[in-house]
């Protein structure tokens, strides 16, 4: 009996998917296979760090380097970090059937070109295949393997009409552009064209793979504490870090929403693609939120708004005096932002968006969690409230959440704040889809 010969094993095809993290937490890119392509540019030195981050996040990564890239960083560095031979030529003799450019992307989830040079973008726009990186991009199956392009070049090269025309063309052809950022450039000039930082590129790749359950929708989020001034140097505030609200803003942006984040005083970076408005006091927050209400579909109030503020703030620093008693302050209640928004939607459903604003509150309690959360949901006139124990979560990276609605309660599996935020966003998206079905 005659057996047909087995297909030769490709050196550059996807390996077995990586296992999850040893501690049982799912890595954000576990099971993903990426092709990381480097083209010529000084930003290549950052691609080594990017590769490390992608591998640490659970991805298996096959590196491809153009001739230009090899002038900036060695193949050995990228081989050591990826644990796989690097493809540098369409004529690589290690590939049994000489078709590395085909095998490379057949099991890949995405090709990430970082850095993408001016010349590479021009080649791709023209559909050229005379070097390995553009060849691999053109040969990929676009329905199952995304093309993510992170430009890196001098600001004049980026601004040139030919580059802009080529960028528009590759985007029209389905490429997803990551960046570029603006700032100081290796050449000493300042402007647009810097490659995004490795950590930002990692976040963008992770975001790319999230389900787009909020595409076309706009979400407004409040986050962090408020600060109520007593005098120019002192004030009343609380221990909220803003992490939960920022995670929700990030998860909503990953899910395709346009997100506006109204943040009290916190030291957190703005999630990619999120529009941020910084405020200080509860009254500032209310003022920032109200004009946004009509233009959004979902409002998630995670801010730990100070319930009271000093009736009067001193104009100058209050000084100690040897014979003076300790100062006393009268407090007045702050506006309830969530209740004000919910009442305004009830009174005047706006026509600017296809559906009325869906309001979600957070209940931060220190005891009798569900009892307080249920009462709060009704008092504020909102369909959904998310209950959590404030002292157990303030400042931490993980949390435990219970969703409380008219039907009852549902705990979300405990996890880090970003994982919980993604679950909450998916839950809100499902509720909106049900409501509009
Ligand atoms: N909230 C608000 N404005 C306020 C107070 C609270 O928008 N002045 C919002 C919070 O962002 C949260 C929800 O209302 O979504 C519940 O906040 P929480 O601090 O748990 O409750 P309070 O309404 O302040 O009630 P209490 O302090 O009595 O628990």
């Amino acid at each position: 009996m005659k057996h047909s010969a087995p297909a030769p094993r490709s050196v550059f095809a996807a390996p077995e998917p990586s296992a999850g993290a040893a501690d049982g937490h799912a890595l954000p890119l576990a099971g993903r296979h990426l092709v990381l392509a480097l083209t010529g540019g000084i930003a290549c030195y950052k691609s080594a760090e990017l590769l490390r981050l992608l591998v640490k996040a659970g991805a298996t990564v096959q590196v491809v380097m153009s001739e230009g890239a090899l002038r900036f960083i060695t193949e050995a560095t990228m081989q050591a970090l990826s644990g796989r031979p690097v493809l540098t030529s369409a004529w690589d003799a290690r590939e049994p059937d000489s078709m590395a450019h085909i095998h490379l992307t057949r099991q890949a989830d995405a090709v990430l070109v970082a850095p993408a040079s001016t010349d590479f973008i021009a080649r791709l726009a023209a559909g050229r295949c005379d070097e390995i990186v553009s060849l691999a991009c053109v040969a990929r199956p676009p329905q199952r393997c995304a093309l993510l392009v992170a430009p890196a070049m001098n600001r004049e090269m980026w601004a040139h009409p030919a580059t802009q025309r080529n960028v528009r063309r590759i985007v029209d052809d389905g490429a997803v552009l990551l960046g570029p950022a603006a700032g100081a450039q290796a050449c000493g000039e300042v402007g647009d064209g810097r490659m995004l930082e490795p950590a930002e590129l990692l976040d963008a790749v992770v975001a790319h793979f999230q389900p787009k359950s909020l595409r076309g929708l706009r979400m407004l989020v409040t986050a962090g504490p408020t600060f109520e001034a007593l005098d120019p140097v002192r004030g009343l505030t609380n221990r909220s870090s803003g992490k939960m609200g920022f995670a929700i803003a990030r998860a909503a942006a990953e899910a395709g929403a346009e997100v506006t984040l109204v943040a009290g005083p916190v030291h957190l970076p703005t999630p990619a693609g999120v529009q941020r408005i910084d405020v200080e006091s509860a009254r500032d927050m209310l003022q920032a939120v109200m004009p946004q209400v009509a233009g959004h579909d979902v409002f998630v109030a995670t801010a730990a708004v100070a319930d009271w503020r000093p009736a009067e703030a001193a104009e100058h620093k209050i000084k100690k005096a040897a014979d003076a008693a300790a100062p006393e302050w009268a407090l007045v209640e702050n506006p309830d932002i969530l209740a004000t928004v919910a009442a305004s939607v009830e009174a005047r459903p706006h026509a600017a968006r296809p559906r009325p604003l869906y309001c979600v509150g957070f209940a931060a309690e220190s005891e009798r969690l569900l009892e307080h959360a249920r009462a709060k949901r009704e008092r504020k006139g909102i369909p959904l409230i998310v209950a959590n124990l404030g002292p157990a979560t303030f400042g931490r990276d993980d949390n435990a959440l219970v969703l409380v609605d008219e039907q009852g309660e549902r705990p979300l599996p405990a996890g880090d704040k970003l994982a919980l935020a993604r679950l909450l966003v998916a839950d809100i998206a499902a509720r909106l889809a049900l409501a509009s079905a």
Side-chain angles (χ1 to χ4, degrees):
M1 208 167 96
K2 228 176 144 201
H3 292 282
S4 56
R9 176 90 185 103
S10 166
V11 179
F12 301 104
E16 289 302 308
S18 62
D23 64 2
H25 272 73
L27 294 172
L29 293 177
R32 298 286 179 192
H33 180 61
L34 304 175
V35 172
L36 174 61
L38 281 66
T39 62
I42 183 58
C44 278
Y45 81 92
K46 294 187 183 177
S47 303
E49 175 65 11
L50 170 62
L51 171 56
R52 212 171 140 59
L53 293 178
L54 294 170
V55 170
K56 266 174 84 176
T60 56
V61 186
Q62 172 61 54
V63 177
V64 186
M65 296 172 74
S66 72
E67 266 182 52
L70 288 164
R71 296 204 167 239
F72 290 92
I73 182 172
T74 70
E75 193 179 337
T77 301
M78 301 308 274
Q79 176 165 345
L81 291 173
S82 65
R84 301 176 57 75
V86 171
L87 181 63
T88 59
S89 158
W91 310 112
D92 194 307
R94 287 170 296 182
E95 187 70 347
D97 65 1
S98 271
M99 293 194 198
H101 62 288
I102 305 288
H103 303 310
L104 192 64
T105 51
R106 287 305 175 267
Q107 280 101 39
D109 296 296
V111 175
L112 168 59
V113 187
S117 67
T118 321
D119 183 58
F120 161 75
I121 292 172
R123 278 168 196 277
L124 185 62
R128 293 188 52 174
C129 295
D130 51 357
E131 58 79 42
I132 184 61
V133 177
S134 53
L135 168 61
C137 291
V138 172
R140 81 187 207 289
Q143 308 78 7
R144 60 169 311 277
C145 177
L147 176 57
L148 312 176
V149 174
M153 64 195 74
N154 167 270
R155 64 187 175 125
E156 298 294 359
M157 295 170 82
W158 173 252
H160 194 282
T163 308
Q164 289 302 308
R165 192 168 59 236
N166 290 334
V167 166
R168 276 194 301 277
R169 171 155 298 179
I170 65 167
V171 168
D172 283 349
D173 288 346
V176 177
L177 212 60
L178 307 181
Q185 304 201 312
C187 50
E189 297 179 4
V190 178
D192 287 339
R194 272 170 65 102
M195 190 168 83
L196 293 182
E197 293 302 324
E200 294 172 316
L201 286 173
L202 170 70
D203 286 353
V205 172
V206 171
H208 173 80
F209 290 118
Q210 298 304 313
K212 304 298 168 207
S213 58
L214 289 181
R215 186 170 275 150
L217 298 181
R218 304 192 67 199
M219 182 186 279
L220 176 63
V221 182
T222 62
T226 64
F227 180 90
E228 313 295 329
L230 289 163
D231 70 16
V233 298
R234 305 182 181 92
L236 298 179
T237 187
N238 59 61
R239 298 175 62 200
S240 164
S241 63
K243 285 180 181 173
M244 193 68 233
F246 275 61
I248 289 170
R250 174 175 168 181
E254 286 176 350
E258 276 181 58
V259 182
T260 310
L261 173 62
V262 180
V266 293
H267 299 282
L268 292 174
T270 309
V274 167
Q275 180 78 30
R276 174 171 175 173
I277 305 172
D278 282 319
V279 297
E280 195 169 273
S281 69
R283 286 185 297 175
D284 296 341
M285 190 173 270
L286 181 68
Q287 241 182 27
V289 162
M290 291 314 289
Q292 301 289 339
V293 166
H296 287 79
D297 304 287
V298 186
F299 176 44
V300 184
T302 70
V305 183
D307 290 314
W308 300 280
R309 66 177 182 276
E312 271 176 55
E315 192 186 341
H316 294 290
K317 187 182 174 198
I318 301 164
K319 303 297 288 180
K320 289 195 295 279
D323 49 351
E328 287 184 8
W329 282 279
L331 298 178
V332 292
E333 198 169 328
N334 265 329
D336 187 317
I337 299 163
L338 176 56
T340 309
V341 170
S344 82
V345 173
E346 184 83 2
R348 187 170 42 84
H350 50 78
R353 305 293 299 167
R355 55 170 66 76
L357 187 77
Y358 188 84
C359 292
V360 181
F362 263 68
E365 309 296 342
S366 63
E367 50 144 13
R368 299 183 1 233
L369 182 64
L370 292 180
E371 183 188 325
H372 284 313
R374 282 185 213 117
K376 224 170 247 184
R377 189 186 76 81
E378 293 201 0
R379 198 169 69 239
K380 306 219 178 206
I382 54 173
L384 175 65
I385 199 155
V386 184
N388 65 158
L389 288 169
T393 181
F394 280 172
R396 295 179 56 111
D397 287 329
D398 49 6
N399 200 355
L401 302 179
V402 185
L403 306 187
V404 179
D405 63 12
E406 203 179 7
Q407 270 78 49
E409 294 98 39
R410 186 167 78 86
L412 293 180
D416 65 54
K417 287 181 176 173
L418 183 58
L420 283 167
R422 288 185 181 135
L423 290 175
L424 178 61
V425 159
D427 185 277
I428 292 172
R431 287 167 193 268
L432 294 177
L434 260 185
S436 60

